[in-house]
Amino acid sequence: MLPAAILLFAGFLVPILIVAAYSFMPARSFGLSTDITAANYQTAFLDGYWMPLFWSALGAFLTTTTCLLLAWPTAKALDRFAGRWATIATLLIALPIFISESVRLFGLLLFMMPGGGILAGSLNAAFGISIGTILNTQLAALVGLVYIHFPFVLFPLLLGFSQVSREQVEAARDLGATPWQVFREIELPLTAPGATIGVLLCFVLSLGANAEMSILGGQAVTVIARAIEQRFNYAQDWPLGAALTMLVILLTALVVLPLLKRVDLDRLIRR
């Protein structure tokens, strides 16, 4: 346990402490000093940086909700029809994870392009139908977020559905339970830990996403990851960038920590 604790301290806690210290330094300073100020946090709210944080949080919420609504029936179908085809379907869903995110997003970009794009070009060539495009919009970025993060919700849900015994479901149906009662009394409580893990993974990863908005959204809005990058790289204002980073960490902690208390990881792993 001691080596793992040292590794976590050095690789996780120490960088956060350094970023936190920089967030209280004077604007556009590049070293730590005793001149402590909270002006960076004041700037973060008064200069409108709460908007990128809002757009990122909204995008993460919509992405997580959409992925959960899509992953639930998918996981249930894969669990119910377990066998060779379910394994093949799971592998097809998992394989894109091993491909660079940027490559996948550029593939989706080619699919969405107007006129000569895969979807528009195919419909025009096959049926003579001309359609527009959602490219360079917030909706396109949302589609990209769902496309990238869907597996991170699906696979924990599959683990959750492994907790649902078919004998329990059949017994409930024999006793006259409706589909809604089976869902509420059996499936939902047993799959909740897996669903919670999937929700946490999807929300945290989506909150810090930037490539989807850059490639598909055409920078229709500025997300918090982009704002932080601009502060550190272009504006050379490390303290303000650090303050924005700490606000993201705080928001993540407010979402993650209460939900983690409800998850029995040992039970999932034992299964």
Side-chain angles (χ1 to χ4, degrees), residues 26 94 109 116 126 152 163 248 270:
L109 172 70
F152 296 102
Q163 307 286 330
V248 175
R270 284 196 304 268

Side-chain angles (χ1 to χ4, degrees), residues 59-60 63 67 105 140-150 206 209 212 216:
T63 301
C67 286
L105 288 175
L142 179 61
V143 171
L145 285 167
V146 172
Y147 170 62
I148 293 296
H149 298 102
F150 175 73
S206 301
E212 291 82 2
L216 300 177

Side-chain angles (χ1 to χ4, degrees), residues 29 31 41 56 59 68 86 126 169-170 192 201 232 247 259:
S29 57
Y41 290 94
S56 292
L68 187 60
V169 175
E170 292 299 329
L201 285 173
F232 276 106
L247 291 176
L259 288 178

Side-chain angles (χ1 to χ4, degrees), residues 17 74 142 150 174 184 235 267:
L17 292 176
T74 305
L142 179 61
F150 175 73
D174 291 341
R184 186 185 61 190
R267 179 182 176 186

Side-chain angles (χ1 to χ4, degrees), residues 11-35:
F12 182 75
L13 185 59
V14 170
I16 291 179
L17 292 176
I18 294 174
V19 172
Y22 262 106
S23 70
F24 290 101
M25 294 297 103
R28 288 183 169 81
S29 57
F30 301 98
L32 298 177
S33 66
T34 57
D35 298 331

Side-chain angles (χ1 to χ4, degrees), residues 45-64:
F45 286 100
L46 295 182
D47 286 8
Y49 285 102
W50 62 270
M51 279 301 296
L53 183 60
F54 168 77
W55 283 119
S56 292
L58 179 62
F61 173 77
L62 293 176
T63 301
T64 304

Side-chain angles (χ1 to χ4, degrees), residues 107-203:
L108 196 57
L109 172 70
L110 292 176
F111 183 81
M112 291 182 178
M113 284 179 63
I118 295 174
L119 178 61
S122 299
L123 288 176
N124 190 29
F127 306 104
I129 300 175
S130 297
I131 62 172
T133 181
I134 62 171
L135 203 59
N136 299 326
T137 65
Q138 295 162 323
L139 179 58
L142 179 61
V143 171
L145 285 167
V146 172
Y147 170 62
I148 293 296
H149 298 102
F150 175 73
F152 296 102
V153 181
L154 175 64
F155 294 124
L157 258 180
L158 279 172
L159 190 60
F161 269 103
S162 69
Q163 307 286 330
V164 180
S165 170
R166 294 188 180 183
E167 288 75 14
Q168 286 180 298
V169 175
E170 292 299 329
R173 289 173 178 171
D174 291 341
L175 292 173
T178 63
W180 167 249
Q181 290 173 322
V182 171
F183 167 77
R184 186 185 61 190
E185 302 295 337
I186 298 177
E187 292 179 343
L188 184 59
L190 293 177
T191 58
T196 302
I197 293 297
V199 164
L200 290 177
L201 285 173
C202 185
F203 183 85

Side-chain angles (χ1 to χ4, degrees), residues 213-252:
M213 185 57 70
S214 298
I215 297 174
L216 300 177
Q219 296 294 346
V221 296
T222 300
V223 292
I224 192 63
R226 178 66 174 170
I228 293 173
E229 179 187 9
Q230 289 173 343
R231 291 299 95 194
F232 276 106
N233 291 337
Y234 305 113
Q236 290 292 294
D237 193 350
W238 292 8
L240 181 53
L244 295 176
T245 303
M246 292 307 300
L247 291 176
V248 175
I249 293 174
L250 177 62
L251 176 60
T252 303

